[in-house]
């Protein structure tokens, strides 16, 4: 798929506009409730729309152009018609609406909507319904983020539009991003002013194509680059004017005072459309057993593989672990031709899905089934109707690899239909979160991350990668990373293999990922045998896996160093869980305990032992003031549970 990167010209002239502190009125601003974040919107002298964002007294995003390039009839120079500002009330987000009209020609109207929130700022363009625009045919956006400095950033770079949205978070400087490079969202950057951090991403996508970030020729700005339609490389969006008007996704700048605090940022979700599901009582988060990563390893089952005895073995394991789900991956469905998608409304020979559903239900376990999205995309209703009839709990749809407008529409269609059929959804090789999990709460997790599966065929999933991911991808929404690899070895000892793959992080590091990485559905990577010792007892660390929740009432990023190590605290009910991971460098960290408030707390700790598979268990009583010193081995980690001592 080719895309001409036209129009990515210099915006240096705009960036050098009059400073925000001169020759302007307060009407230009929208100010957050805390007054720490402001966003300015305006119409420039040349008739273009612009925004600028401040964090405290510092300029975070310099004056930057915001525009849409309609195919055939682009907007001409604009003139300001009106401004509306709504101060932050119960919400921490203040709102602004700037309405403009073309100075001549068709005199079409367009709105620039802005939000200033305590944890970031956002803006989007809205074209109201009007007779002169019956059809939206969008070639591109000409929206830029002009960065005043050459900030250090983390992002995942892709070579082509068609990709799995999986990769390492590489270090790149904002002004080193070249035209044509495709950076997935978010791009997380530190400014060098104390711990100030921001992340560029988007939210609330519908009737649109998902965006990448790229550079421009003079490297003065980061540009929004829309994914083209597969049927026309010159067009990104084509749709009849919706009845209520046409809106771009929110362009989001998440902001934090320190890098580790970004993981608690929920701005993407708050800007997304509210839930479209009335009753969500049937949406049950939890953990799942899974056989694909380990190769359906089951030494106690003769001829283990895609057969009923092996599936029953994994169901029994889920029941014994008190896991509510077992995810049956590829291989269960009828397939007459190896070169065509399977028929996911029928079981393969020798496999009886209704019988497995009954067997699992007797043990308080429900099934989630895998499907190639090509088996589903053209027959969503028949497939989901059959799965609901069987009593299936959810779907894992895989191999999507796209984020164009048609695929965005498929997401909405699938998630809405799955909600009607009371099915959870987990999408793989999927574009990264953009708030759809708020709009459809049954969208319980997703990929769009390079997870533990890569240990089967590569050395890519290192401890350093996990830490970098915590500072970037983990900040925008759920990620089906599948933690819990229990064949722990050092990076020097690691050899990728399948079945029975290894991980090059410690056991405690793998436990900590259940706290550090967000996912209401946590899929345990390893086989039942990996979670047992040779004498049949639970392996060290399994007790934590049984206990740790998957949903949280509060999240705090409490300590860390950007891309090097991180400590995350999450509260479930009255109890706190803390996960810490480090890169390949061991360290002793000082963990502040002020997040606990007051009083005494009973602590249980799972920390690195003398070998990668070893766990050192510790317990004690501590006060909510002061710091806790925790040693982390190279590629290591630690987890704590904290319960108020009565």
């Amino acid at each position: 798929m080719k895309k001409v990167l036209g129009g990515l010209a210099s915006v240096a002239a705009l960036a050098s506009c009059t400073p925000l502190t001169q020759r302007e009125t307060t009407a230009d601003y929208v100010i957050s409730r805390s007054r720490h974040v402001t966003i300015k919107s305006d119409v420039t002298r040349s008739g273009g729309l612009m925004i600028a964002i401040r964090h405290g007294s510092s300029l975070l995003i310099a004056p930057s152009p915001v525009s849409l390039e309609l195919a055939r009839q682009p907007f001409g120079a604009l003139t300001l018609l009106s401004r509306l500002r709504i101060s932050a009330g119960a919400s921490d987000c203040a709102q602004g609406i700037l309405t403009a009209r073309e100075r001549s020609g068709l005199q079409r109207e367009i709105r620039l909507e802005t939000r200033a929130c305590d944890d970031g700022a956002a803006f989007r363009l809205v074209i109201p319904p009007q007779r002169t625009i019956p059809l939206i045919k969008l070639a591109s956006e000409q929206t830029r983020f002009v960065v005043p400095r050459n900030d250090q950033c983390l992002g995942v770079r892709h070579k082509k539009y068609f990709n799995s949205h999986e990769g390492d978070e590489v270090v790149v400087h904002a002004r080193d991003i070249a035209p044509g490079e495709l950076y997935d969202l978010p791009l997380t950057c530190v400014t060098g002013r104390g711990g100030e951090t921001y992340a560029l991403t988007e939210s609330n996508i519908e009737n649109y194509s998902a965006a990448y970030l790229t550079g421009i020729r003079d490297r003065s700005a980061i540009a929004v680059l829309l994914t083209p339609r597969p049927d026309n490389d010159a067009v990104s969006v084509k749709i009849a004017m919706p009845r209520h008007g046409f809106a771009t996704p929110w362009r989001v700048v998440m902001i934090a005072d320190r890098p580790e605090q970004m993981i608690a940022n929920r701005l993407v979700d708050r800007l997304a459309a509210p839930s479209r599901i009335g009753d969500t009582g049937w949406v049950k988060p939890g953990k799942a057993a899974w056989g694909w990563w380990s190769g359906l390893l089951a030494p106690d089952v003769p001829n283990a593989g895609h057969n009923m005895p092996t599936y029953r073995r994994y169901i029994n394991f889920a029941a014994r672990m008190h896991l509510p789900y077992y995810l049956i991956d590829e291989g269960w469905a009828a397939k007459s031709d190896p070169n065509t998608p399977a028929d996911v409304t029928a079981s393969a020979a020798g496999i009886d899905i209704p019988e497995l559903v009954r067997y699992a239900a007797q043990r308080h376990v429900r099934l989630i089934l895998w499907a190639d999205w090509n088996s589903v995309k053209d027959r969503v209703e028949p497939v989901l109707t059959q799965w609901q009839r069987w009593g299936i709990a959810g779907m894992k749809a895989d191999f999507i690899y796209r984020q164009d407008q048609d695929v965005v529409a498929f997401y909405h269609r699938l998630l809405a239909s799955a909600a009607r059929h009371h099915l959870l959804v987990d999408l793989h090789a999927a574009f990264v979160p953009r708030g759809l999990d708020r709009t459809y709460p049954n969208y319980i997790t997703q990929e769009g991350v390079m997870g533990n599966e890569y240990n089967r065929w590569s050395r890519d999933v290192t401890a350093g990668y996990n830490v970098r991911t915590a500072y970037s991808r983990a900040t925008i929404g759920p990620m089906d990373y599948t933690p819990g690899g229990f064949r722990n070895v050092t990076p020097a000892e690691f050899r990728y293999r399948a079945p029975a793959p290894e991980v090059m992080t410690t056991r405690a590091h793998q436990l900590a990922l259940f706290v550090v990485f967000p996912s209401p559905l946590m899929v345990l990577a390893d086989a039942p045998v990996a979670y047992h010792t040779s004498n049949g007892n639970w392996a060290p660390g399994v007790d934590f896996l049984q206990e740790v929740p998957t949903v949280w009432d509060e999240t705090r990023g409490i300590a860390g160093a950007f891309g090097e190590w991180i400590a995350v605290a999450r509260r479930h009910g009255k109890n706190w869980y803390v996960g810490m991971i480090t890169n390949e460098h061991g360290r002793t960290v000082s963990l502040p305990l002020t997040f606990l408030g007051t009083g005494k707390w009973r602590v249980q700790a799972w920390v690195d032992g003398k070998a990668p598979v070893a766990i050192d268990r510790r317990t004690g009583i501590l006060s909510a003031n002061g710091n806790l010193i925790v040693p982390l081995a190279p590629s290591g980690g630690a987890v704590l549970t904290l319960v108020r001592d009565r």
Side-chain angles (χ1 to χ4, degrees), residues 1 3 138-141 158 160-163 165 181-186 200-214 223-230 233 235-238 246-251 400-412 429-436 443 446 476:
M1 190 181 290
K3 178 76 171 176
L138 188 62
S140 65
E141 277 193 46
H158 300 294
K160 55 186 179 180
Y161 290 105
F162 187 83
N163 68 79
H165 303 280
E181 290 185 330
L182 303 176
Y183 276 86
D184 225 329
L185 306 177
L200 306 179
T201 189
E202 64 181 358
S203 177
N204 199 42
I205 187 167
E206 188 169 11
N207 301 322
Y208 215 77
S209 74
Y212 293 99
L213 296 173
T214 192
V224 171
L225 180 61
L226 300 184
T227 305
R229 289 183 55 84
D233 286 356
V235 175
S236 295
V237 178
K238 182 179 179 181
F246 175 79
T248 72
W250 288 102
R251 303 280 161 241
I400 301 174
Y401 279 85
R402 289 166 49 189
Q403 61 172 30
D404 54 79
Q405 181 190 4
D406 289 348
V407 169
V408 171
F410 166 77
Y411 275 48
H412 282 271
F431 63 72
V432 301
R434 286 163 165 88
L436 286 174
Y443 190 14
Q446 65 160 95
I476 59 170

Side-chain angles (χ1 to χ4, degrees), residues 224-277:
V224 171
L225 180 61
L226 300 184
T227 305
R229 289 183 55 84
D231 57 355
N232 186 345
D233 286 356
V235 175
S236 295
V237 178
K238 182 179 179 181
I239 187 172
M241 171 64 80
R243 184 164 57 94
H244 298 295
F246 175 79
T248 72
W250 288 102
R251 303 280 161 241
V252 182
V253 182
M254 302 159 58
I255 302 173
D257 292 328
R258 288 200 49 80
E260 66 270 14
Q261 295 172 358
M262 191 65 78
I263 202 163
N265 195 299
R266 297 275 70 87
L267 188 54
V268 169
D269 275 349
R270 299 205 316 276
L271 289 167
S275 174
R276 295 177 181 173
I277 303 174

Side-chain angles (χ1 to χ4, degrees), residues 255-455:
I255 302 173
D257 292 328
R258 288 200 49 80
E260 66 270 14
Q261 295 172 358
M262 191 65 78
I263 202 163
N265 195 299
R266 297 275 70 87
L267 188 54
V268 169
D269 275 349
R270 299 205 316 276
L271 289 167
S275 174
R276 295 177 181 173
I277 303 174
D279 173 25
T280 59
W282 57 273
V283 177
K284 303 292 187 184
K287 287 164 281 193
W290 184 44
W292 181 88
W293 188 68
S294 61
L296 284 170
L297 193 66
D300 52 347
V301 177
N303 303 312
H306 296 288
N307 54 52
M308 296 292 281
T310 306
Y311 291 156
R312 290 191 187 102
R313 174 69 181 91
Y314 276 77
I315 291 169
N316 292 340
F317 165 70
R320 191 175 174 216
M321 280 281 288
H322 306 292
L323 310 179
Y325 301 110
Y326 168 43
L327 195 164
I328 302 181
D329 218 284
E330 183 178 16
W332 68 268
K335 193 173 179 71
S336 57
D337 182 346
N339 297 315
T340 59
D343 178 5
V344 294
T345 61
S347 304
I351 295 174
D352 187 338
I353 291 295
E355 171 56 30
L356 287 173
V357 170
R358 287 190 292 271
Y359 184 87
Q362 292 170 356
R363 290 154 180 81
H364 307 290
V365 176
R366 299 195 68 197
L367 303 184
I368 299 171
L369 297 181
W370 179 95
D372 185 326
W373 89 293
N374 289 295
S375 301
V376 179
K377 64 179 182 179
D378 297 324
R379 50 197 307 253
V380 167
E381 279 298 320
V383 170
L384 299 188
T385 298
Q386 176 66 292
W387 286 25
Q388 184 181 32
R389 188 178 298 125
W390 281 341
I392 299 302
M395 167 183 286
K396 174 182 172 180
D398 206 346
F399 302 141
I400 301 174
Y401 279 85
R402 289 166 49 189
Q403 61 172 30
D404 54 79
Q405 181 190 4
D406 289 348
V407 169
V408 171
F410 166 77
Y411 275 48
H412 282 271
R413 188 170 71 253
L414 174 68
L415 295 169
S417 179
R420 291 192 297 271
H421 292 285
H422 284 199
L423 288 163
L424 307 175
V425 176
D426 173 9
L427 298 180
H428 270 229
F431 63 72
V432 301
R434 286 163 165 88
L436 286 174
D437 54 303
R438 182 192 183 201
T439 309
Y440 303 98
N442 59 318
Y443 190 14
I444 196 164
T445 194
Q446 65 160 95
E447 208 174 29
V449 65
M450 185 171 68
N452 253 344
E453 66 177 356
Y454 273 71
N455 287 293

